[in-house]
Amino acid sequence: MFARFSLAASIVLSTLCLAPGARAGATLADTWIEPGSGMEFVLIKGDCYLMGDTFGDGEHNEVPVHEVCLDDYYLGKYEVTQGQWQRIMGDNPAEYAHGENHPVESVMLTEIDAFIHRLNRSSGEVFRLPSEAEWEFACRGGGQAVKYGTADKHISPHNAHIGGEATSPWPGTAPVGSFAANALGVHDMSGNVWEWVSDIYAADAYSKHRRHNPRFDAPGPSRLVRGGAWSHDGHFARCSKRHMHCRPSVRYDIIGFRLVREVPRLSTRQGEQ
């Protein structure tokens, strides 16, 4: 004998089978703007991909290549700018204070935490630094087998802000969005400034990753930056490049950040229902 279910029970069961954070009939906006700061975000549709040195020319801490799977998330279309920082924090710590559309740099992780705390409190949203896995997935244009986070998937001073002042029209950082976006519509994933991610650094972290939404947070003194910078050559701007930073409490004028906005759960907001 087959069990009989009511229509209401079927709806409940189908809702329970949705992925975490999803909602029956939910439609997420492709882009979103945080009204207080003006930060623009792009929806990154979650999927599975091969993370690590898939091209075989990386470093010892970029292996083993392994499959990871991510939920949907929103990622900053640009690196956080000096103008956005100033609107939230009231100051501008940047060394290259050449305009409000340049990325903010020379900020410590504790200051970024304070920025995120204020932003979350004022907006009612959940913002945070991306994990390594989220950052690399977006750099690869949605987990594609590409080496660089540029529009044409290659690297040169013509499509990314790299290589030092000898190849640049800017003394230091470039205004965000000065180069074309990658396949997901995200700018400067390769070059301009290094970007903080949320993971703790370990050379063997990839051997300890879980498959779903990995983030390495074991105790350790070192953190990670990703994406290369205007001061470095193109090899440092590879999507798989993991750059250990052993002094996260020191200000560096080549390191900035971008944020994740977590997908709202059971949202009833306009454009997300």
Side-chain angles (χ1 to χ4, degrees):
M1 177 182 290
F2 294 99
R4 300 175 69 87
F5 292 92
S6 69
L7 176 60
S10 299
I11 292 172
V12 169
L13 286 174
S14 65
T15 301
L16 290 174
C17 291
L18 291 170
R23 180 175 182 249
T27 301
L28 296 169
D30 291 334
T31 59
W32 183 83
I33 298 177
E34 198 289 309
S37 64
M39 282 189 287
E40 299 180 56
F41 290 82
V42 174
L43 176 64
I44 310 297
K45 296 292 292 180
D47 204 347
C48 300
Y49 78 108
L50 292 178
M51 182 178 184
D53 178 24
T54 57
F55 289 88
D57 59 354
E59 300 174 18
H60 71 284
N61 63 2
E62 299 172 30
V63 293
V65 174
H66 57 298
E67 185 181 65
V68 301
C69 299
L70 301 173
D71 293 336
D72 297 349
Y73 58 101
Y74 283 93
L75 185 68
K77 184 175 182 178
Y78 308 105
E79 294 153 338
V80 174
T81 67
Q82 295 172 32
Q84 291 160 354
W85 180 276
Q86 192 155 16
R87 282 191 281 279
I88 300 298
M89 302 300 286
D91 65 351
N92 182 8
E95 176 70 19
Y96 299 105
H98 301 316
E100 66 172 19
N101 288 328
H102 285 250
V104 67
E105 24 78 10
S106 302
V107 287
M108 298 183 294
L109 279 173
T110 53
E111 294 170 325
I112 293 173
D113 287 343
F115 176 87
I116 292 172
H117 177 73
R118 290 191 186 184
L119 194 60
N120 288 348
R121 185 177 59 188
S122 64
S123 67
E125 304 287 341
V126 179
F127 298 98
R128 56 176 172 81
L129 289 174
S131 67
E132 279 201 273
E134 289 169 332
W135 191 97
E136 186 170 322
F137 181 78
C139 184
R140 290 177 177 270
Q144 301 178 56
V146 300
K147 188 178 289 190
Y148 300 103
T150 57
D152 64 4
K153 306 172 186 176
H154 300 285
I155 197 75
S156 78
H158 301 293
N159 63 10
H161 190 30
I162 58 164
E165 293 183 355
T167 64
S168 171
W170 300 282
T173 61
V176 300
S178 293
F179 297 89
N182 73 358
L184 294 180
V186 183
H187 295 258
D188 301 319
M189 294 298 285
S190 290
N192 211 10
V193 290
W194 290 100
E195 299 178 15
W196 289 110
V197 292
S198 62
D199 301 60
I200 303 297
Y201 175 79
D204 62 348
Y206 285 5
S207 66
K208 301 173 182 177
H209 267 182
R210 61 178 182 265
R211 185 168 180 263
H212 188 234
N213 292 332
R215 177 182 175 273
F216 191 77
D217 58 1
S222 300
R223 297 292 291 267
L224 282 146
V225 290
R226 290 289 205 126
W230 63 268
S231 53
H232 290 64
D233 66 36
H235 183 73
F236 290 90
R238 293 176 298 111
C239 291
S240 64
K241 168 66 178 171
R242 305 177 69 224
H243 199 60
M244 180 189 74
H245 198 288
C246 61
R247 301 180 70 191
S249 61
V250 176
R251 301 178 190 278
Y252 286 89
D253 58 16
I254 56 173
I255 303 177
F257 69 105
R258 76 178 74 221
L259 293 181
V260 159
R261 175 214 181 200
E262 293 189 355
V263 169
R265 291 174 180 267
L266 300 177
S267 176
T268 57
R269 295 171 189 151
Q270 185 176 3
E272 297 176 344
Q273 52 184 340

